[in-house]
Amino acid sequence: MAFAPRLLLPSRCPPPASSPARHGGRTAPELSGPTPRVVVVTSGKGGVGKTTTTANLATSLARLSLSAVAVDADAGLRNLDLLLGLENRVHLTAADVLAGDCRLDQALVRHRALHDLQLLCLSKPRSKLPLAFGSKTLTWVADALRRAANPPAFILIDCPAGVDAGFVTAIAPAEEAVLVTTPDITALRDADRVAGLLECDGIKDIKIIVNRVRPDLVKGEDMMSALDVQEMLGLPLLGVVPEDAEVIRSTNRGVPLVLNDPPTPAGLALEQATWRLVERDAMTAVMVEEQERPKKKAGFFSFFGG
């Protein structure tokens, strides 16, 4: 008896920016919607790869010549500067701008190798954002970036874990959301809760990235597939990122995965997710019948679109 394992196939699977021939000759995706687009990258649960995702999406956008400002919205435990290799260049923050101590352009840290990528940190490590700034802090920052002489194409906000005041501050200016989760029940319960909060705040364009997928465990039915995650959350898929040992090396070097040469599986998946983000595209999960496998019950196998 044949069975139908679950296989993920993208509706349009964009290959990496470094392979224009695989885009039908295109060297960049078609930017959808007015700019700047304000996207919050969130998860609810900590440790699922949200900051890594933000760093790689921002880097991929810059490689595509789409200007991006990556905002670390964690007021006390910032890490985005480390993943971008900019930890020694952050001297001024958004808190300094709002206090009137500097201009916004002075607080923006431009990446030396990627001139279309800039970093803005909400505040300095081990410091707290003054309560007087309130939840509209990043709304003011986003409005200022919109009014700039050369506004960015994207503002990516790296949201802190949890759903407290930091979460409220981070999602306030956002029009779109990327919800990062891993295929385990604790992360999924938090992701489902966050999705509801985002919708209540008026953010309807929500897509999910399923991170740290282990195809071997999915095949053995020891891990949920990306299709299972999509069905549970009821949201479109932006990308599926496989478990990759290179993530730790990349983090420790301060070099985003998408800059690796040769590319890694996770880096390729994040580049593809960036193309979908730019074009407001999504992966489509379909059922694909496979040949008969005797003595094995119906199962599922998830592959990342590529």
Side-chain angles (χ1 to χ4, degrees):
M1 176 180 176
F3 72 100
R6 292 169 178 175
L7 179 69
L8 283 176
L9 295 178
S11 55
R12 287 180 294 172
C13 182
S18 56
S19 304
R22 296 170 67 181
H23 291 283
R26 291 191 301 153
T27 57
E30 298 177 6
L31 181 59
S32 174
T35 59
R37 286 169 53 186
V38 184
V39 184
V40 62
V41 182
T42 184
S43 63
K45 189 178 187 298
V48 298
K50 172 174 44 59
T51 301
T52 299
T53 299
T54 305
N56 282 277
L57 290 178
T59 301
S60 290
L61 287 168
R63 292 184 69 203
L64 293 167
S65 299
L66 292 170
S67 56
V69 173
V71 181
D72 193 328
D74 198 321
L77 296 171
R78 78 177 193 220
N79 287 305
L80 189 54
D81 56 330
L82 289 170
L83 272 65
L84 293 172
L86 300 173
E87 66 274 11
N88 295 323
R89 296 181 55 203
V90 179
H91 305 296
L92 298 169
T93 67
D96 296 313
V97 176
L98 295 170
D101 296 331
C102 68
R103 301 188 310 272
L104 179 58
D105 63 296
Q106 294 175 314
L108 291 169
V109 180
R110 190 177 297 277
H111 199 283
R112 285 195 177 97
L114 299 164
H115 297 293
D116 283 318
L117 174 58
Q118 292 178 289
L119 170 69
L120 177 66
C121 294
L122 189 59
S123 65
K124 296 176 182 177
R126 297 180 298 278
S127 66
K128 293 183 178 180
L129 197 66
L131 293 176
F133 290 158
S135 63
K136 296 299 182 182
T137 301
L138 289 182
T139 302
W140 297 334
V141 170
D143 288 344
L145 288 170
R146 287 190 182 96
R147 295 193 301 269
N150 295 301
F154 283 85
I155 302 171
L156 296 182
I157 302 173
D158 182 25
C159 181
V163 291
D164 55 8
F167 171 80
V168 175
T169 299
I171 70 171
E175 301 149 349
E176 307 170 47
V178 174
L179 186 55
V180 183
T181 186
T182 50
D184 61 84
I185 57 173
T186 56
L188 288 173
R189 182 166 70 175
D190 290 354
D192 185 56
R193 170 66 173 153
V194 166
L197 293 173
L198 291 170
E199 290 175 352
C200 288
D201 200 62
I203 302 174
K204 305 301 182 184
D205 189 349
I206 308 170
K207 295 185 177 68
I208 53 177
I209 287 182
V210 186
N211 196 22
R212 297 177 184 165
V213 175
R214 290 271 305 273
D216 56 327
L217 295 181
V218 174
K219 189 173 183 179
E221 300 186 357
D222 294 315
M223 175 181 280
M224 282 182 284
S225 71
L227 178 56
D228 293 312
V229 173
Q230 184 184 26
E231 289 175 346
M232 290 181 68
L233 297 179
L235 296 169
L237 276 169
L238 186 65
V240 182
V241 183
E243 183 75 59
D244 192 339
E246 191 61 31
V247 172
I248 297 177
R249 299 187 188 98
S250 168
T251 300
N252 290 337
R253 292 198 309 265
V255 179
L257 276 171
V258 294
L259 296 180
N260 277 24
D261 189 16
T264 68
L268 288 173
L270 287 163
E271 280 201 1
Q272 293 161 2
T274 305
W275 275 69
R276 297 185 191 104
L277 177 67
V278 172
E279 296 190 334
R280 283 197 163 101
D281 199 359
M283 298 175 68
T284 302
V286 298
M287 302 296 289
V288 179
E289 289 193 1
E290 204 171 77
Q291 63 182 0
E292 181 178 350
R293 293 185 182 180
K295 299 182 181 179
K296 181 172 176 64
K297 64 180 181 178
F300 47 80
F301 176 69
S302 176
F303 207 97
F304 63 98

